[in-house]
Amino acid sequence: MTTVTHRDTDLWPRCQDAARQRGLAPALRLLASALTPGLLPCGPGGHTVTDARTFAEADGLWVAGATRPRRPADEAVLSRTALLGGEVVAATVTTAPPARRGAAEREAGAAFVLGLAWVRLGLSESLRSACLGYLGRRRSGDSYLLQQQLVKGTVAEAVADHLEVRAVLSGAGPGDLPAAVLADVHARITAADREQVRLLGASGYLRDGPGMPCYLSELLAEVHVTGEEPR
C-alpha cells in the first residue's frame, strides 16, 4: 500500500482540484488509487461510498486501515448515483472492524480521512460556485438574489468556512491532526454544504441537482470519520 509522507502532500491539492473541477467520482478514484490501490475502502462500520470503477475492480477490502479478503456474497449495494464525472456506489460490507492496528495501519487510516477532507472541501467549493451562478441569475423584485443582505451573508460565511478549513488542513500530513480536529473539519464542511444547498431552493434537493454530490460527501464523513483516536 502506498504511504503518503509529509513530502508527498501534493496529493491533497490534487484531490481537492479533482473534486472541484471534475466531480466526486474522479476525486474518490484518485484518492483510492493513491492510498488503497486494489482495495475497496470501507469505514470501521463496514460501509463504503466510492466510485464505480474502484467498487468493480477492487480485489480486497480496506477497513479503516486494515486489509481484509473481499467476498461479494458479504456485500449489498445500497445505491448507485450517476453524477457529473461518474457513478458513485454506496454499499454495506459484512466484515469485522480491526480490533487493534499497527503504526502503518493507523497512519493509512489517518491519511484517508485527511484526504477525504480535501475531497469534501473541493466539492463544497464547487457547490459555492454553483450557488453564485444561480443567485446571480435569479431576480427578486428589482434586484438579483445575490444582492440581498441575508444571501450575501450566507455566502460570506461559506467562504469563511472554506478558508478556515483550508488553513487547518494546509501543510498537515497523516497523523498531524488529532482525530477530534479532523472530525471538526468534516463537521464544518457539512455545515457549510447544508447552508449553501438552502440557497439553491428546491433545486438543491433534487437527485440530479448540485446538492446531491454534497449529500454523498456528508455520507462519506459518516462512514469514515469517528472523531476517536485510532487504536
Side-chain angles (χ1 to χ4, degrees):
M1 182 179 299
T2 303
T3 298
V4 177
T5 69
H6 291 74
R7 296 176 297 279
D8 191 31
T9 53
D10 68 312
L11 173 62
W12 313 136
R14 287 193 289 119
C15 287
Q16 177 194 13
D17 186 65
R20 185 175 58 237
Q21 302 293 338
R22 295 188 284 140
L24 179 56
L28 291 177
R29 177 63 181 173
L30 174 61
L31 188 65
S33 62
L35 300 184
T36 62
L39 301 172
L40 180 64
C42 303
H47 298 87
T48 184
V49 179
T50 192
D51 65 285
R53 182 178 172 185
T54 295
F55 186 81
E57 296 180 354
D59 295 320
L61 300 178
W62 182 93
V63 186
T67 58
R68 296 282 190 274
R70 186 178 186 188
R71 291 183 289 267
D74 295 335
E75 302 173 10
V77 173
L78 303 176
S79 67
R80 291 181 177 271
T81 306
L83 300 173
L84 182 66
E87 186 179 62
V88 173
V89 179
T92 182
V93 180
T94 304
T95 183
R100 187 170 294 276
R101 293 175 288 175
E105 292 174 329
R106 290 196 299 270
E107 182 174 349
F112 197 86
V113 174
L114 178 61
L116 278 182
W118 283 104
V119 168
R120 298 190 66 220
L121 175 60
L123 278 180
S124 193
E125 291 171 333
S126 177
L127 178 61
R128 189 181 78 209
S129 296
C131 287
L132 290 174
Y134 173 84
L135 297 168
R137 296 189 301 269
R138 297 295 294 269
R139 299 184 68 92
S140 177
D142 295 331
S143 64
Y144 290 100
L145 290 176
L146 189 56
Q147 297 173 319
Q148 295 184 357
Q149 192 64 36
L150 289 177
V151 172
K152 287 194 294 184
T154 301
V155 172
E157 288 175 4
V159 172
D161 284 334
H162 293 157
L163 290 175
E164 289 180 20
V165 165
R166 183 194 290 267
V168 173
L169 295 178
S170 293
D176 285 350
L177 299 176
V181 171
L182 269 177
D184 181 67
V185 164
H186 280 277
R188 291 289 297 272
I189 295 171
T190 295
D193 285 348
R194 289 180 177 180
E195 288 301 312
Q196 291 184 114
V197 166
R198 291 176 57 191
L199 292 175
L200 295 169
S203 65
Y205 298 93
L206 297 176
R207 185 174 179 83
D208 59 350
M212 190 61 187
C214 291
Y215 164 75
L216 293 172
S217 169
E218 183 173 346
L219 191 60
L220 272 164
E222 293 177 357
V223 166
H224 290 280
V225 182
T226 65
E228 300 177 356
E229 295 297 336
R231 295 177 294 172

